[in-house]
Amino acid sequence: MAIVYTCRHCGNEIGKLEQKVIDTSMLGLDQLTAKEKEEMITYRNNGDVHIHAICENCEEALGHHPNYHELDFFIQ
């Protein structure tokens, strides 16, 4: 089982945690609302958990271009 973080904008893998047992509260996932969990977390058949976050490059681009926040995807 792995937790895989990918950027929701560019699709690049940000990081991966490979653990047999993972306490989701240590990752802060228990702090998310039900809607945020639905939007950010997907579960795979093999037991992997994929979390859609934002990478440093896309975060920087959003900082320079705040109007990008209006878009679902700003990288084509």
Side-chain angles (χ1 to χ4, degrees):
M1 177 176 141
I3 293 184
V4 182
Y5 289 85
T6 56
C7 181
R8 65 181 180 163
H9 297 289
C10 66
N12 286 330
E13 185 176 302
I14 300 169
K16 186 176 193 177
L17 301 171
E18 300 225 23
Q19 301 282 324
K20 292 186 189 257
V21 177
I22 298 172
D23 182 358
T24 57
S25 66
M26 290 182 68
L27 300 174
L29 300 180
D30 59 329
Q31 302 295 312
L32 299 173
T33 66
K35 183 177 181 185
E36 289 170 332
K37 287 178 184 177
E38 184 179 315
E39 292 173 352
M40 295 178 63
I41 303 172
T42 55
Y43 299 91
R44 302 294 165 95
N45 290 337
N46 66 355
D48 287 356
V49 178
H50 284 248
I51 300 176
H52 305 284
I54 185 169
C55 70
E56 291 178 6
N57 293 331
C58 289
E59 183 177 16
E60 183 178 335
L62 286 167
H64 292 299
H65 306 280
N67 59 313
Y68 286 177
H69 283 282
E70 301 169 3
L71 307 171
D72 289 332
F73 301 98
F74 61 88
I75 296 178
Q76 302 297 320

